[in-house]
Structures are given as structure tokens and as C-alpha cells.
Amino acid sequence: MSHVTVLILPGWQGSGPDHWQMRWAQQHGYTVVEQDDWLRPRRGDWLARLDEVVIDTPGDGTDIVLAAHSLGCIQVAAWAAVSRHTARIRGALLVAPADVERADLREPLPGWTPVHRQRLPFASVLVGSDNDPFCTPARARKLAGDWGARWVLLEAAGHINSGSGLGDWPQGQALLQELMTPTTG
């Protein structure tokens, strides 16, 4: 099996040290895609940065898996709609997408609407929560359907972040490992 690189895509304001994304990066050596401005994210800048990291990642096949949280999920969908490098991606774990089309998120996150809704050109799993304050389960499930992602619903996990008390989040790591495994046939 070829080496797989995992790229961590935090959302708006980044992910703190207790967030499962940062814990995974530290424990497993995954690469965090850093952004110039976590507080005022500009879609074009974030998409360009992801493209740069994908291009600069060593390898020559489908050897990259994305692990996105919140605004990072919206970033993946927008990037997949415009990048010429999506063939490098084996899969994407999309966790707690932020509903940037809601009125209360449009103002602090200008330029992120409309959400790209085309089917993603790689395998994906979308994990939502039945009490996420930034995206209803119905909305998250609809995004999963639009993107062609397998849908997983967690109970009482909030925004599936450090405040959710998930620690290393082994269930999420298991979903990521499924995406890292090459498909046959």
C-alpha cells in the first residue's frame, strides 16, 4: 500500500490544542493546512492555499485524504469545484459542516456563499451532530447527499469540536482509516 498523507483542514478560527484535529496531527504526524488569517477567512485565499499544499505533497496517485472540520468542509466542496488536482485525493472526512448560508454566519464569513453542492469527485464521509449549533442535522444530511458523502449522525456531540469532549475521537479516526484504505475493483 502506498503512503497516504492526511491533510487537516480546520475551520473558522482554527482548531485549538484540545481539538481532535490537532490531537490527530500531533499523534499521527498529519499535516495541518495553515491559513494566513483564521479570523477573517477569505475563500479564494483558503482554496489557493489548499491547492498549493496538495501540489506540494509528494506522491503521484490518489494518496491524500482530507480531514475537514466546520468551514473546512465548505472549503473542500468549493476547492473540488475549481481545482485541477482533485485526482490526488483518495477521500475526505467532513465533520460538522458550518451552514454559512445561515443569516448569523453570512456576516462574519462573507464570500463563502453559495455553498458548492456538486458531487465530490472522491469518496467522502460527512459526520454531523443532532445538536450542532452551526448546522442542523437536516441541513448536514442534505449536504452529505449533495456531495455524495456517506452520512453519519452523532448524538449530542455539539459542533464535534474540543467542547464536545471527544478527546482523541477514536470513532472519527476509524472513519478516517476507512478512507485511507485503497478500494479494490
mmCIF file of all heavy atoms in Angstrom, residues 95-116:
data_model
loop_
_atom_site.group_PDB
_atom_site.id
_atom_site.type_symbol
_atom_site.label_atom_id
_atom_site.label_comp_id
_atom_site.label_asym_id
_atom_site.label_seq_id
_atom_site.Cartn_x
_atom_site.Cartn_y
_atom_site.Cartn_z
ATOM 1 N N VAL A 95 -16.480 16.880 8.781
ATOM 2 C CA VAL A 95 -17.067 16.828 10.117
ATOM 3 C C VAL A 95 -17.699 18.166 10.486
ATOM 4 O O VAL A 95 -17.045 19.212 10.427
ATOM 5 C CB VAL A 95 -15.986 16.453 11.154
ATOM 6 C CG1 VAL A 95 -16.585 16.390 12.555
ATOM 7 C CG2 VAL A 95 -15.321 15.130 10.782
ATOM 8 N N ALA A 96 -18.968 18.115 10.856
ATOM 9 C CA ALA A 96 -19.713 19.281 11.348
ATOM 10 C C ALA A 96 -19.611 20.480 10.408
ATOM 11 O O ALA A 96 -19.084 21.532 10.765
ATOM 12 C CB ALA A 96 -19.238 19.664 12.759
ATOM 13 N N PRO A 97 -20.118 20.355 9.188
ATOM 14 C CA PRO A 97 -20.033 21.490 8.257
ATOM 15 C C PRO A 97 -20.751 22.715 8.828
ATOM 16 O O PRO A 97 -21.799 22.586 9.449
ATOM 17 C CB PRO A 97 -20.743 20.976 7.000
ATOM 18 C CG PRO A 97 -21.653 19.897 7.483
ATOM 19 C CD PRO A 97 -20.946 19.269 8.654
ATOM 20 N N ALA A 98 -20.153 23.866 8.620
ATOM 21 C CA ALA A 98 -20.793 25.115 9.048
ATOM 22 C C ALA A 98 -21.796 25.535 7.980
ATOM 23 O O ALA A 98 -21.471 25.549 6.794
ATOM 24 C CB ALA A 98 -19.737 26.201 9.224
ATOM 25 N N ASP A 99 -22.992 25.869 8.394
ATOM 26 C CA ASP A 99 -24.016 26.321 7.450
ATOM 27 C C ASP A 99 -23.817 27.813 7.190
ATOM 28 O O ASP A 99 -24.481 28.659 7.784
ATOM 29 C CB ASP A 99 -25.405 26.036 7.996
ATOM 30 C CG ASP A 99 -26.501 26.369 7.001
ATOM 31 O OD1 ASP A 99 -26.180 26.888 5.901
ATOM 32 O OD2 ASP A 99 -27.680 26.123 7.316
ATOM 33 N N VAL A 100 -22.881 28.120 6.293
ATOM 34 C CA VAL A 100 -22.518 29.517 6.013
ATOM 35 C C VAL A 100 -23.623 30.288 5.298
ATOM 36 O O VAL A 100 -23.508 31.501 5.137
ATOM 37 C CB VAL A 100 -21.201 29.599 5.205
ATOM 38 C CG1 VAL A 100 -20.038 29.056 6.015
ATOM 39 C CG2 VAL A 100 -21.321 28.878 3.867
ATOM 40 N N GLU A 101 -24.685 29.613 4.895
ATOM 41 C CA GLU A 101 -25.809 30.300 4.262
ATOM 42 C C GLU A 101 -26.825 30.809 5.290
ATOM 43 O O GLU A 101 -27.747 31.523 4.927
ATOM 44 C CB GLU A 101 -26.458 29.391 3.222
ATOM 45 C CG GLU A 101 -25.515 29.137 2.042
ATOM 46 C CD GLU A 101 -26.068 28.188 0.999
ATOM 47 O OE1 GLU A 101 -27.035 27.446 1.286
ATOM 48 O OE2 GLU A 101 -25.518 28.178 -0.115
ATOM 49 N N ARG A 102 -26.640 30.449 6.562
ATOM 50 C CA ARG A 102 -27.497 30.985 7.629
ATOM 51 C C ARG A 102 -27.190 32.457 7.825
ATOM 52 O O ARG A 102 -26.029 32.885 7.732
ATOM 53 C CB ARG A 102 -27.234 30.261 8.951
ATOM 54 C CG ARG A 102 -27.875 28.941 9.051
ATOM 55 C CD ARG A 102 -27.660 28.231 10.348
ATOM 56 N NE ARG A 102 -27.078 28.968 11.467
ATOM 57 C CZ ARG A 102 -26.803 28.407 12.636
ATOM 58 N NH1 ARG A 102 -27.049 27.130 12.846
ATOM 59 N NH2 ARG A 102 -26.278 29.122 13.601
ATOM 60 N N ALA A 103 -28.191 33.237 8.152
ATOM 61 C CA ALA A 103 -28.021 34.686 8.328
ATOM 62 C C ALA A 103 -26.957 35.023 9.373
ATOM 63 O O ALA A 103 -26.160 35.937 9.179
ATOM 64 C CB ALA A 103 -29.358 35.328 8.702
ATOM 65 N N ASP A 104 -26.911 34.277 10.476
ATOM 66 C CA ASP A 104 -25.970 34.610 11.548
ATOM 67 C C ASP A 104 -24.525 34.244 11.210
ATOM 68 O O ASP A 104 -23.602 34.687 11.892
ATOM 69 C CB ASP A 104 -26.382 33.956 12.870
ATOM 70 C CG ASP A 104 -26.379 32.434 12.819
ATOM 71 O OD1 ASP A 104 -26.615 31.858 11.736
ATOM 72 O OD2 ASP A 104 -26.154 31.816 13.876
ATOM 73 N N LEU A 105 -24.300 33.475 10.150
ATOM 74 C CA LEU A 105 -22.934 33.148 9.738
ATOM 75 C C LEU A 105 -22.507 33.891 8.472
ATOM 76 O O LEU A 105 -21.316 33.990 8.195
ATOM 77 C CB LEU A 105 -22.781 31.636 9.533
ATOM 78 C CG LEU A 105 -22.865 30.782 10.797
ATOM 79 C CD1 LEU A 105 -22.691 29.311 10.463
ATOM 80 C CD2 LEU A 105 -21.842 31.224 11.826
ATOM 81 N N ARG A 106 -23.473 34.396 7.706
ATOM 82 C CA ARG A 106 -23.130 35.123 6.479
ATOM 83 C C ARG A 106 -22.287 36.361 6.747
ATOM 84 O O ARG A 106 -21.332 36.632 6.038
ATOM 85 C CB ARG A 106 -24.399 35.527 5.725
ATOM 86 C CG ARG A 106 -24.704 34.615 4.577
ATOM 87 C CD ARG A 106 -25.834 35.168 3.732
ATOM 88 N NE ARG A 106 -26.890 34.179 3.803
ATOM 89 C CZ ARG A 106 -28.135 34.421 4.098
ATOM 90 N NH1 ARG A 106 -28.538 35.646 4.337
ATOM 91 N NH2 ARG A 106 -28.999 33.450 4.143
ATOM 92 N N GLU A 107 -22.647 37.111 7.788
ATOM 93 C CA GLU A 107 -21.927 38.359 8.076
ATOM 94 C C GLU A 107 -20.477 38.115 8.513
ATOM 95 O O GLU A 107 -19.564 38.727 7.967
ATOM 96 C CB GLU A 107 -22.676 39.180 9.115
ATOM 97 C CG GLU A 107 -22.023 40.534 9.344
ATOM 98 C CD GLU A 107 -22.804 41.386 10.327
ATOM 99 O OE1 GLU A 107 -24.038 41.243 10.405
ATOM 100 O OE2 GLU A 107 -22.168 42.187 11.018
ATOM 101 N N PRO A 108 -20.219 37.228 9.484
ATOM 102 C CA PRO A 108 -18.814 37.030 9.881
ATOM 103 C C PRO A 108 -17.996 36.235 8.856
ATOM 104 O O PRO A 108 -16.768 36.243 8.917
ATOM 105 C CB PRO A 108 -18.915 36.279 11.209
ATOM 106 C CG PRO A 108 -20.230 35.597 11.172
ATOM 107 C CD PRO A 108 -21.133 36.487 10.355
ATOM 108 N N LEU A 109 -18.671 35.569 7.919
ATOM 109 C CA LEU A 109 -17.975 34.757 6.906
ATOM 110 C C LEU A 109 -18.387 35.178 5.495
ATOM 111 O O LEU A 109 -18.906 34.373 4.710
ATOM 112 C CB LEU A 109 -18.281 33.266 7.127
ATOM 113 C CG LEU A 109 -17.818 32.694 8.471
ATOM 114 C CD1 LEU A 109 -18.355 31.297 8.677
ATOM 115 C CD2 LEU A 109 -16.304 32.724 8.563
ATOM 116 N N PRO A 110 -18.148 36.438 5.130
ATOM 117 C CA PRO A 110 -18.558 36.891 3.794
ATOM 118 C C PRO A 110 -17.760 36.179 2.703
ATOM 119 O O PRO A 110 -16.605 35.803 2.905
ATOM 120 C CB PRO A 110 -18.247 38.393 3.827
ATOM 121 C CG PRO A 110 -17.151 38.533 4.829
ATOM 122 C CD PRO A 110 -17.418 37.476 5.867
ATOM 123 N N GLY A 111 -18.411 35.967 1.583
ATOM 124 C CA GLY A 111 -17.722 35.370 0.438
ATOM 125 C C GLY A 111 -17.765 33.857 0.393
ATOM 126 O O GLY A 111 -17.229 33.253 -0.536
ATOM 127 N N TRP A 112 -18.381 33.220 1.375
ATOM 128 C CA TRP A 112 -18.412 31.749 1.416
ATOM 129 C C TRP A 112 -19.729 31.181 0.878
ATOM 130 O O TRP A 112 -19.920 29.965 0.888
ATOM 131 C CB TRP A 112 -18.148 31.261 2.837
ATOM 132 C CG TRP A 112 -16.702 31.385 3.189
ATOM 133 C CD1 TRP A 112 -16.090 32.460 3.768
ATOM 134 C CD2 TRP A 112 -15.680 30.430 2.944
ATOM 135 N NE1 TRP A 112 -14.745 32.217 3.902
ATOM 136 C CE2 TRP A 112 -14.473 30.969 3.414
ATOM 137 C CE3 TRP A 112 -15.664 29.147 2.385
ATOM 138 C CZ2 TRP A 112 -13.261 30.303 3.342
ATOM 139 C CZ3 TRP A 112 -14.463 28.468 2.307
ATOM 140 C CH2 TRP A 112 -13.280 29.041 2.781
ATOM 141 N N THR A 113 -20.619 32.050 0.422
ATOM 142 C CA THR A 113 -21.870 31.568 -0.168
ATOM 143 C C THR A 113 -21.868 31.890 -1.655
ATOM 144 O O THR A 113 -21.199 32.837 -2.085
ATOM 145 C CB THR A 113 -23.092 32.236 0.499
ATOM 146 O OG1 THR A 113 -23.002 33.647 0.336
ATOM 147 C CG2 THR A 113 -23.163 31.881 1.967
ATOM 148 N N PRO A 114 -22.573 31.129 -2.449
ATOM 149 C CA PRO A 114 -23.314 29.943 -2.052
ATOM 150 C C PRO A 114 -22.372 28.755 -1.809
ATOM 151 O O PRO A 114 -21.252 28.728 -2.317
ATOM 152 C CB PRO A 114 -24.221 29.675 -3.264
ATOM 153 C CG PRO A 114 -23.438 30.186 -4.426
ATOM 154 C CD PRO A 114 -22.677 31.377 -3.900
ATOM 155 N N VAL A 115 -22.876 27.798 -1.054
ATOM 156 C CA VAL A 115 -22.127 26.565 -0.818
ATOM 157 C C VAL A 115 -22.136 25.751 -2.115
ATOM 158 O O VAL A 115 -23.191 25.596 -2.747
ATOM 159 C CB VAL A 115 -22.767 25.746 0.322
ATOM 160 C CG1 VAL A 115 -22.119 24.374 0.446
ATOM 161 C CG2 VAL A 115 -22.676 26.510 1.633
ATOM 162 N N HIS A 116 -20.974 25.283 -2.527
ATOM 163 C CA HIS A 116 -20.906 24.405 -3.703
ATOM 164 C C HIS A 116 -21.554 23.072 -3.355
ATOM 165 O O HIS A 116 -21.260 22.490 -2.322
ATOM 166 C CB HIS A 116 -19.450 24.202 -4.130
ATOM 167 C CG HIS A 116 -18.866 25.416 -4.766
ATOM 168 N ND1 HIS A 116 -18.912 25.642 -6.113
ATOM 169 C CD2 HIS A 116 -18.252 26.501 -4.226
ATOM 170 C CE1 HIS A 116 -18.347 26.804 -6.382
ATOM 171 N NE2 HIS A 116 -17.932 27.343 -5.249
#
